[in-house]
Amino acid sequence: MSVFRMTTTTLRNLFGGPVTRRYPARVKEPHHAARTRGHIHINIEACIFCSACSKRCPTDAITVSKTEKVWEIDRLRCCTCNACVEVCPRKCLDMAVSYTLPTVTKDHDVFKQPPKPPKPESPTE
Ligand code: SF4
Ligand code: SF4
């Protein structure tokens, strides 16, 4: 690096202010929303609890319970590779553009499918 470039960089860093933001108070909108991988979002109502996403996940971030009808994700493990989105047969996973809020706990995000409403009785003749 030339002395001129180094001096320019040093002065810019000295007087330019921080390059980081006070997230989440200040949020930067993504430049390329279509290509941004923020976080996994699930439409839990469409999930059939087949575990295909859990088996494909390279970081074991997803846990599925068919009996409990529960789908969980450990967001600290997720590397936003999109593999679960691609393998889901019901297309109920997608990559939301926004980022999750910071947290001080290591809790999983747990989604439980609400019970289906009873089918209406057919009218008796
Ligand atoms: S692959 Fe899709 S349908 Fe199957 S458990 Fe995962 S989210 Fe649910
Ligand atoms: S995006 Fe990748 S790492 Fe994250 S939950 Fe899906 S398969 Fe696992």
Side-chain angles (χ1 to χ4, degrees), residues 33-107:
R35 284 188 276 151
T36 296
R37 293 183 175 178
H39 70 278
I40 290 291
H41 165 261
I42 182 169
N43 173 9
I44 192 66
E45 309 231 339
C47 179
I48 56 172
F49 304 98
C50 64
S51 294
C53 54
S54 169
K55 289 175 189 155
R56 178 64 67 87
C57 179
T59 62
D60 291 332
I62 299 175
T63 310
V64 179
S65 168
K66 195 175 182 72
T67 51
E68 302 286 326
K69 295 198 180 309
V70 167
W71 187 95
E72 291 181 41
I73 183 166
D74 181 347
R75 297 204 185 275
L76 293 178
R77 279 179 170 264
C78 177
C79 63
T80 61
C81 68
N82 208 49
C84 55
V85 175
E86 291 166 11
V87 79
C88 177
R90 295 299 298 266
K91 304 293 177 213
C92 54
L93 296 175
D94 63 275
M95 195 66 76
V97 171
S98 61
Y99 299 106
T100 51
L101 290 175
T103 177
V104 293
T105 62
K106 291 184 177 178
D107 297 338

